[in-house]
Amino acid sequence: MQKTINILNKRAKFDYEIIDKYTAGIVLTGTEIKSIRLGKASIAESFCEFHNNELFVINATIEEYLYGNHYNHKAKSERKLLLNKKELKKLEKDSDNKGLTIIPLRMFTNEKGLAKLDIALCRGKKNYDKRESLKEKDTKRDLDRIKKSF
């Protein structure tokens, strides 16, 4: 049994208000999936865009495979995402609205060893929303400390 890989975009939930979530497959080459299985990937500053009715993830970094030869992949390149036609049409229509974008939340491997990407339709948070999120996080942490002491 293979160990599962779970690469998170930690800033996404802080910077964006999540409206809708989807799970998409990724079109990868052989050395890219090997690097992901080693955990050598980052989706921290990535986003998704439509080109010719197809969804691509941009700025996702998958490091070059250490044991790859001249067939190795580029670290930052556009990678096609696989979704149903109905989901693609809905996402394209929704992302055309002002202020909405598609952000990757998590890259993982499933039980079959295939790489998947959790993406979300998001709206950017304002600064006061971010301060509120930090305040809620602090109060939750303080309550947990108090509960633990009893």
Side-chain angles (χ1 to χ4, degrees), residues 48-57 80-81 88 92:
C48 299
E49 249 182 19
F50 279 95
H51 298 294
N52 298 330
N53 297 325
E54 294 178 338
L55 188 63
F56 289 88
V57 64
K80 184 178 174 182
L81 296 180
L88 282 172
E92 189 169 17

Side-chain angles (χ1 to χ4, degrees), residues 94-108:
D94 290 343
S95 66
D96 286 342
N97 293 339
K98 187 176 180 185
L100 295 181
T101 185
I102 304 168
I103 301 293
L105 299 177
R106 178 174 77 120
M107 183 184 288
F108 64 97

Side-chain angles (χ1 to χ4, degrees), residues 10-150:
K10 295 179 182 178
R11 294 283 304 179
K13 290 182 181 174
F14 181 72
D15 289 338
Y16 298 96
E17 172 191 344
I18 296 171
I19 298 170
D20 206 1
K21 288 186 183 181
Y22 298 93
T23 300
I26 314 171
V27 177
L28 298 172
T29 63
T31 55
E32 288 175 328
I33 189 65
K34 289 178 182 182
S35 291
I36 289 173
R37 287 182 183 151
L38 291 175
K40 305 281 186 182
S42 172
I43 55 170
E45 296 181 6
S46 58
F47 59 96
C48 299
E49 249 182 19
F50 279 95
H51 298 294
N52 298 330
N53 297 325
E54 294 178 338
L55 188 63
F56 289 88
V57 64
I58 299 169
N59 254 0
T61 305
I62 300 175
E63 291 182 21
E64 289 187 358
Y65 185 57
L66 185 62
Y67 303 108
N69 50 17
H70 61 281
Y71 296 113
N72 222 340
H73 64 277
K74 295 178 191 168
K76 282 194 179 208
S77 63
E78 294 182 357
R79 292 169 179 89
K80 184 178 174 182
L81 296 180
L82 305 171
L83 286 168
N84 295 334
K85 278 187 181 181
K86 189 166 52 170
E87 291 174 334
L88 282 172
K89 285 180 183 176
K90 184 179 184 321
L91 265 175
E92 189 169 17
K93 186 181 80 169
D94 290 343
S95 66
D96 286 342
N97 293 339
K98 187 176 180 185
L100 295 181
T101 185
I102 304 168
I103 301 293
L105 299 177
R106 178 174 77 120
M107 183 184 288
F108 64 97
T109 56
N110 64 2
E111 60 277 352
K112 292 182 181 179
L114 302 174
K116 302 283 183 180
L117 193 66
D118 280 343
I119 59 174
L121 185 67
C122 301
R123 178 179 292 119
K125 283 185 181 178
K126 303 287 184 193
N127 279 337
Y128 56 84
D129 291 334
K130 292 178 187 179
R131 285 193 294 268
E132 242 177 75
S133 298
L134 286 173
K135 193 185 298 184
E136 288 173 13
K137 192 170 148 184
D138 287 342
T139 55
K140 184 180 182 305
R141 187 180 322 121
D142 290 342
L143 286 174
D144 288 342
R145 282 185 192 150
I146 293 169
K147 286 180 185 177
K148 190 175 182 180
S149 66
F150 287 109

